[in-house]
Amino acid sequence: MFRRTRASVSRMPGAVRLITIAALLLVAAAANLVARSEPTSRWLPLLLVGVIGGVVAGAPRRLWPLPAIWLVATLLVTTTGATVDGTALVVSLVAGAVALAVAIAVDVVPFLRKRRRGAGT
């Protein structure tokens, strides 16, 4: 099911770009709400729709932009002068950093495997 959805969306480059932008904006909005200590019922749906929409549709081709935008949005909240709970901010930053590390690892593993196979032949 995911492959068919991804294949049909990839035939429309404009749709892929729109889904990418929408996914990044939804993840950024969720990060903003988390840093402001909003209830989970407000930010979790935004995060789920953003991540699922971005990954299932194949936009972005790499996973690292989603947690990266989470970190950027979380840091931007601190510069707005809004009331930010320190604990929520730290949890959001740590979760974003761990997610970024995992996403980079997932993105790099195929490249390293391909390189290793190329060197072995």
Side-chain angles (χ1 to χ4, degrees):
M1 182 175 132
F2 294 140
R3 286 184 181 159
R4 284 191 304 198
T5 303
R6 190 176 267 181
S8 66
V9 170
S10 67
R11 286 189 287 259
M12 299 177 286
V16 171
R17 286 188 201 107
L18 286 174
I19 291 170
T20 301
I21 292 168
L24 292 172
L25 288 173
L26 287 170
V27 170
N32 188 339
L33 293 173
V34 168
R36 293 174 187 245
S37 301
E38 294 289 333
T40 306
S41 62
R42 290 196 64 202
W43 61 265
L44 188 60
L46 295 175
L47 180 63
L48 290 176
V49 170
V51 170
I52 291 170
V55 173
V56 169
R61 293 198 179 271
R62 301 285 180 212
L63 294 177
W64 69 264
L66 293 172
I69 197 71
W70 176 277
L71 286 172
V72 169
T74 301
L75 290 173
L76 284 175
V77 169
T78 63
T79 64
T80 62
T83 306
V84 179
D85 179 29
T87 305
L89 180 65
V90 169
V91 168
S92 181
L93 288 172
V94 169
V98 169
L100 182 60
V102 169
I104 289 172
V106 168
D107 287 343
V108 170
V109 166
F111 174 75
L112 293 176
R113 283 185 183 158
K114 184 178 176 183
R115 241 178 113 189
R116 194 174 328 143
R117 268 190 259 134
T121 55

